[in-house]
Amino acid sequence: MSYASDFITTAKREFRYLARREFDELQENTVGILLVLPLVATLVALYLYPTVQAIIYSLQDISIFLGDSEVVGLANYIDLLRSGTFYNALWNGIIYTAGSVFLTVVVGVATGLLLNRTFTGERIATGLILVPYMVPTVAAVILFRWMLDGLYGVGNYALVVSTLIDEPIAWLASTRYAMPALILISGWRLYPFVTMLVLAKLQTIPKSYYESARLMGASRWEMFRHITLPQLRGVLFVAILLRLVWTFNLFDIIWLGTQGGPGNATETLPIMAYRLTFIGNDLGEGASVAVVTFLVLAVIVYGYFRLYGTTEEPR
Amino acid sequence: MTSLSPQLTQQQRHYLERIATYTAVIVTTFVVLIPLIWGFLSTIRPSEELFSWPPVIVPSDVSFENYHILFEQTNFALYFRNSLIVALTTIILTLLIAIPAAYAVSRYEFHGRRYIANLSVLIYMFPLILLGIPLFIIFQNIGLTNSLFGLALAHTAFALPFALLLLRVFFLDITPEIEESARLAGASRVTIVTKIILPLSLPGIVATSIFAFFLSWNEYFFALIILNDNALYTLPLGIANLIDMATTNWGMILGGVMIMILPPVLFVFLVYKHLIKGFGVSTV
């Protein structure tokens, strides 16, 4: 009995030892490939394959329940480019993206510069100012829906008291004000991303730069203009790029805030694709909008690189 | 130089600057936190005060009735549990897949190594909607819709690229000399990883786990597409669903919001140091 179990233990140990030896003697190339294989497999299964599928669906007349499908070539795309709703969604997406990227970058840089100063309670203030980024999107949207409520919203009250508006506005239910309200929510939720990047970069700028500038009699503004801003260039390039991409693709804030409404006043391309696919049940048309979203974005990113990505490539 | 009459002394200047800094910090912090403060006040005040115009700023009475209703009359506890399950599964899957890959990318020379790192960046350009639509069909075909595991899998796919970048940074921080001497002493590849690499990069592993947790805890879109059954809803879906009910009980919903916010916000303060570091190194 004990002999048998001893034997098994030894055999196990022996086996494990051999397996390890085997693994140790593999070529570096083989080990590397083996180790990244699960990652590559997951990414292929969950990114590449679905993307190819989406393209295939976009070339078919097919419903979300599958069933009868018919290959129609580019018909979905042609229909799309002929419809006014597409241009409306494209335009809304551009306004929304421009507005929220601008807001997040301005607030992000300002808070980053502020937090880079030396003061007591730095740690707590930094933590608190970064908090909105940790607030889940759903939570952020609900908080703002409550504050911007047309009947009882405290935001409306503040605006009325400060005589900026005459009477309460149902922000998210108004064709005119829904978009600015969504931009405000996105700005609040996402500026800390820029703050963190800017702050991290600011802390790497050598103090000596400022000291020698001061010795040469540079003013505050000159130091900011000629030291801080150029140093931030690289990080701002990355921050704006990422925000641009993510905001253009963003779904949750808009869907939770207005569902693209009222009407389609705040419908962007991702919202339009979702509505077509899961509410209109038109998989083919929905997929074509999703593909076009990606293409438009690629064009925007290409343009962005051409415009600003010239000197000293930030990585 | 001395002829300028209202010239402030160095000392006075210094004081003014201090005052300006503190004022700016306090005002900014307060303004930024208004939605959360107001949201919290709304959960503890008597419900008739919620629906009054002009709004009452300071609650006349404090009660936690809303939190009580939330747990008694809605599926909130269930949503919380579901979210936790999905988030933990996401963390485990992400680490299992990303650690070996990140280690390989940072240490071994193999075909396609460079593409792996670049691929990750490219992936974040993908519109979620472009993945979500076909993923719904694929998951439906293999029975992963209406499944918490299916949702965790989608979250893992989404967390992997950044997890790879983050872990790679931490692995690269460990000098290869340590490994070399371990190898000379006869340690196997497996021993080197389990006894040297993993313990030394623990902060990186913690940071990656927290990142995966955030992502999963917050994620709404895939949950909306994959989950159909109210009993499987995660927090984002469940809470959003409470608003759409006929009579919106704002006090109760905001109570749910407050509870949902708590775990990630507590994390910020716990991992404060790594947060800034992680951001600094991974992007600059």
Side-chain angles (χ1 to χ4, degrees), chain B residues 149-255:
Chain B
F149 180 76
L151 185 59
L153 203 60
H155 289 176
T156 304
F158 202 47
L160 278 178
F162 188 73
L164 180 77
L165 288 181
L166 198 60
L167 284 169
R168 185 167 144 259
V169 168
F170 281 91
F171 288 154
L172 285 175
D173 271 356
I174 303 169
T175 51
E177 281 91 65
I178 303 182
E179 283 166 82
E180 220 121 280
S181 38
R183 188 161 298 167
L184 286 178
S188 73
R189 275 188 177 130
V190 179
T191 315
I192 290 175
V193 170
T194 53
K195 296 272 160 62
I196 299 174
I197 300 294
L198 291 185
L200 280 179
S201 55
L202 196 64
I205 294 172
V206 172
T208 309
S209 308
I210 286 170
F211 162 75
F213 176 87
F214 273 168
L215 186 144
S216 175
W217 193 254
N218 171 44
E219 206 284 321
Y220 174 76
F221 177 67
F222 283 122
L224 178 68
I225 283 183
I226 291 174
L227 304 177
N228 228 326
D229 176 0
N230 191 291
L232 289 173
Y233 278 5
T234 50
L235 277 177
L237 215 50
I239 293 185
N241 200 47
L242 290 178
I243 308 190
D244 299 333
M245 288 178 0
T247 49
T248 303
N249 182 349
W250 282 103
M252 178 193 79
I253 292 171
L254 289 164

Side-chain angles (χ1 to χ4, degrees), chain A residues 20 23-24 26 28-29 31-33 35-36 38-40 42-43 46-47 49-51 53-54 57 64 66 111 114 117-120 122-132 134-139 142-147 149 151-154 156-157 168 188-189 191 193 196-197 199-201 203 220 235 238 245-246 249 251-252 255-256 270 273-274 277-278 283 286-287 290-291 293-294 297 301 315, chain B residues 17-18 21-22 24-25 28-29 32-36 38-39 42 50-55 57 97-98 100-101 103-105 107-111 116 119 123-141 153-154 157-158 160-161 164 187-191 214 217-218 220-221 224-225 236 239-240 243-244 250 253-254 257-258 260-261 264-265 268-269 272 275-276 279-280 283-284:
Chain A
R20 277 189 182 195
F23 186 68
D24 256 26
L26 286 173
E28 200 173 293
N29 188 31
V31 179
I33 289 177
L35 291 179
V36 292
L39 178 94
V40 173
T42 316
L43 295 185
L46 294 174
Y47 280 94
Y49 176 60
T51 308
Q53 278 291 350
Y57 290 139
I64 190 88
L66 307 178
T111 46
L114 182 64
R117 314 197 61 133
T118 326
F119 55 91
T120 332
E122 235 177 291
R123 218 187 131 117
I124 291 174
T126 308
L128 287 176
I129 286 180
L130 296 183
V131 156
M134 311 306 152
V135 171
T137 310
V138 175
I142 292 177
L143 287 170
F144 274 88
R145 272 175 75 159
W146 172 231
M147 293 215 314
D149 187 86
L151 291 175
Y152 310 107
V154 71
N156 274 316
Y157 177 70
W188 183 78
R189 169 75 173 70
Y191 79 83
F193 175 78
M196 283 190 274
L197 288 179
L199 194 56
K201 179 66 205 175
Q203 290 176 352
R220 268 288 152 95
V235 81
V238 176
V245 171
W246 290 338
N249 289 333
F251 174 85
D252 48 10
W255 186 254
L256 288 159
Y274 180 85
T277 312
F278 293 100
L283 179 59
V291 172
T293 308
F294 184 63
L297 192 67
V301 169
R315 291 196 308 126
Chain B
E17 221 181 287
R18 301 260 74 181
T21 303
Y22 281 100
V25 168
T28 310
T29 312
V32 156
L33 293 180
I34 286 178
L36 290 168
W38 186 250
S42 302
L50 284 177
F51 306 107
S52 62
W53 187 270
I57 304 296
I97 300 174
Y103 182 66
V105 170
R107 281 299 187 276
Y108 296 137
E109 200 52 61
F110 58 92
H111 297 305
I116 300 281
L119 185 82
I123 273 179
Y124 277 127
M125 276 193 51
F126 270 59
L128 273 186
I129 188 81
L130 184 61
L131 297 175
I133 293 173
L135 220 52
F136 168 74
I137 308 278
I138 295 167
F139 273 25
Q140 201 166 43
N141 287 338
L153 203 60
F158 202 47
L160 278 178
L164 180 77
S188 73
R189 275 188 177 130
V190 179
T191 315
F214 273 168
W217 193 254
N218 171 44
Y220 174 76
F221 177 67
L224 178 68
I225 283 183
I239 293 185
I243 308 190
D244 299 333
W250 282 103
I253 292 171
L254 289 164
V257 164
M258 290 300 139
M260 181 189 192
I261 289 173
V265 167
V268 185
F269 288 93
Y272 178 81
L275 208 73
I276 300 282
F279 258 94
T283 48
V284 187

